[in-house]
Amino acid sequence: MSDTGYEIKGWCPGALRPMMSGDGLVVRVRPFGGRLRRAQADGIASLAAAHGNGFLDISSRGNIQIRGVAEARHGALIEGLRVMGLIDPTPEIESRRNIIVTPFWNKGDDTEILTTALTQALALPDMPELPGKFGFAVDAGANPVLQDASADIRLECDAGGGLILVADGMKRGKPVSLDTAVPEAIALADWFSQYKGTATRMKAVIAAGAEPVGHIVPRQKGTFVPKPGYTPNGAIVGLAFGQMSVETLSTLAKHGSLRLTPWRLILVESARILPVIEDVITDPSDPLLRIIACTGAPRCAQALGETRKLGSTLAPHLAAHQTLHISGCTKGCAHPRSAPLTLTAQKGGFALIKDGKAGDTPSVSGLSPDELKDYI
Ligand code: SF4
């Protein structure tokens, strides 16, 4: 335990290196290219039903977590995932393959080519050693959509449609081509390794004044707002708190392959019309989409309070413009950034933080769950 009151692990759980939580192991699967083929999605649902607690989470990096896995079942689960092509050769490669991908790609386009090349490059043995949460974003559509998602090295397009390499935290990028983009991205990761000192993220290195050479092209300012609806690539649907049952995953897989996003939304490939599916949100104005809540008690061992049931109770009271983060402790896993309103569970009630993070100084403390609707 640190003096923050929660345990700092400094690494993210994977499938090969799972994390123990209050309800068993959390096994986080990183779909290659951010996509699950229908058979893979259905297979994960079956494996989660057999070895987990029947619930799955979509993470803020577009991964899918199987929860509640007993240690004795981990081997069988991994074997099942490996058969479906969802497991990396080693835990080190799995950890490095931290890539988020725009869901708006088409077969054979730059995003798909770059994602494949980056995945292959990160599996090579001579890669720089990178901190556990260090990641990449491939966002090569005409307009970037991942600028608010956490990534240290980005590939995106400038206003003229040219591909640029971006060190997170910089307003300009380095022009690259389809051939040079991945080698340049690896070189930038190497540059980070040399300049990072004690920093674990690119943004901190840039904020400290270091600047890679050749980053001269202005970035576009993304205006994309993720929400459920139909797109040329398929139907985007939401999940309350990014959580779903194995039945829901299995049903979604019947309608198409799934692209997982960092917004806890799923794009169902090529779907035009979806029937009503239990727990699936299709109304972009549903207030549950504006509430972020971590696992909380009792499933997280570090939680000081329940979060998701509380989120469902508070949703009808949330004003149309409001977003709310509910955190089971000051760590703020589900949303490590500032939010207009945050409720953090603490011993003896909830703390309300305005325009801050879960661990920031609250404006009010010791609120009971019944009082909270009067404060949001
Ligand atoms: S923020 Fe939530 S999920 Fe993260 S450690 Fe705290 S209670 Fe657990």
Side-chain angles (χ1 to χ4, degrees):
M1 262 318 152
S2 72
D3 57 8
T4 55
Y6 54 79
E7 196 180 345
I8 298 173
K9 309 225 188 240
W11 53 276
C12 290
L16 294 172
R17 201 160 61 131
M19 188 181 277
M20 184 52 79
S21 191
D23 58 349
L25 294 174
V26 178
V27 178
R28 183 176 289 173
V29 181
R30 289 187 169 157
F32 287 82
R35 177 178 191 250
L36 291 173
R37 297 194 306 274
R38 294 164 76 151
Q40 288 175 323
D42 199 44
I44 288 180
S46 301
L47 288 169
H51 302 294
N53 64 9
F55 286 94
L56 302 127
D57 286 321
I58 304 296
S59 80
S60 60
R61 294 198 62 80
N63 300 313
I64 187 161
Q65 295 183 164
I66 302 168
R67 297 197 66 101
V69 178
E71 281 182 88
R73 310 297 289 267
H74 181 244
L77 172 59
I78 292 299
E79 205 33 54
L81 293 167
R82 199 186 299 281
V83 167
M84 293 191 290
L86 288 165
I87 294 295
D88 292 277
T90 67
E92 292 74 26
I93 294 174
E94 176 185 71
S95 171
R96 272 204 304 272
R97 190 178 57 80
N98 196 3
I99 308 170
I100 48 173
V101 182
T102 168
F104 306 117
W105 54 268
N106 294 301
K107 194 135 192 56
D109 72 4
D110 288 3
T111 292
E112 193 188 34
I113 292 168
L114 292 167
T115 303
T116 304
L118 184 57
T119 301
Q120 289 167 352
L122 291 172
L124 296 174
D126 56 347
M127 284 298 106
E129 212 164 291
L130 298 167
K133 291 179 189 289
F134 193 94
F136 299 79
V138 183
D139 191 13
N143 304 109
V145 298
L146 296 179
Q147 290 182 331
D148 286 337
S150 170
D152 298 270
I153 294 179
R154 300 165 184 279
L155 289 166
E156 60 186 41
C157 281
D158 66 15
L163 196 58
I164 54 171
L165 172 71
V166 175
D168 194 42
M170 288 190 67
K171 293 198 169 85
R172 291 169 187 270
K174 181 176 188 177
V176 288
S177 70
L178 210 48
D179 289 335
T180 62
V182 169
E184 288 276 10
I186 301 300
L188 185 56
D190 234 337
W191 177 88
F192 167 83
S193 294
Q194 287 167 33
Y195 283 86
K196 71 178 170 44
T198 56
T200 56
R201 303 304 301 262
M202 180 70 86
K203 217 174 199 164
V205 173
I206 300 297
E211 200 171 293
V213 291
H215 289 240
I216 50 170
V217 176
R219 298 175 67 187
Q220 296 193 72
K221 234 186 161 104
T223 53
F224 176 74
V225 179
K227 55 180 187 235
Y230 292 99
T231 77
N233 298 96
I236 296 184
V237 297
L239 301 164
F241 320 122
Q243 183 180 280
M244 66 185 144
S245 66
V246 293
E247 291 83 11
T248 299
L249 178 59
S250 189
T251 306
L252 282 172
K254 288 187 174 59
H255 294 277
S257 295
L258 306 179
R259 298 182 187 181
L260 307 187
T261 77
W263 316 302
R264 297 190 175 92
L265 302 170
I266 294 176
L267 186 147
V268 186
E269 273 183 20
S270 307
R272 293 283 168 263
I273 298 169
L274 284 176
V276 175
I277 302 172
E278 199 177 342
D279 295 334
V280 168
I281 300 171
T282 53
D283 176 0
S285 66
D286 191 317
L288 283 169
L289 294 172
R290 286 180 280 111
I291 301 181
I292 304 164
C294 72
T295 305
R299 290 189 173 145
C300 175
Q302 301 183 59
L304 298 173
E306 204 283 326
T307 51
R308 290 183 174 173
K309 253 191 229 142
L310 176 65
S312 298
T313 309
L314 293 178
H317 303 281
L318 206 59
H321 64 281
Q322 242 173 11
T323 54
L324 171 65
H325 173 204
I326 306 176
S327 187
C329 76
T330 52
K331 193 173 177 185
C333 295
H335 190 73
R337 286 164 284 165
S338 185
L341 284 177
T342 299
L343 293 170
T344 303
Q346 49 181 201
K347 281 183 191 143
F350 278 84
L352 173 71
I353 298 116
K354 289 190 176 160
D355 295 317
K357 299 183 196 169
D360 286 349
T361 307
S363 52
V364 198
S365 289
L367 296 168
S368 73
D370 288 343
E371 288 176 292
L372 293 174
K373 65 177 184 323
D374 300 324
Y375 283 84
I376 62 170

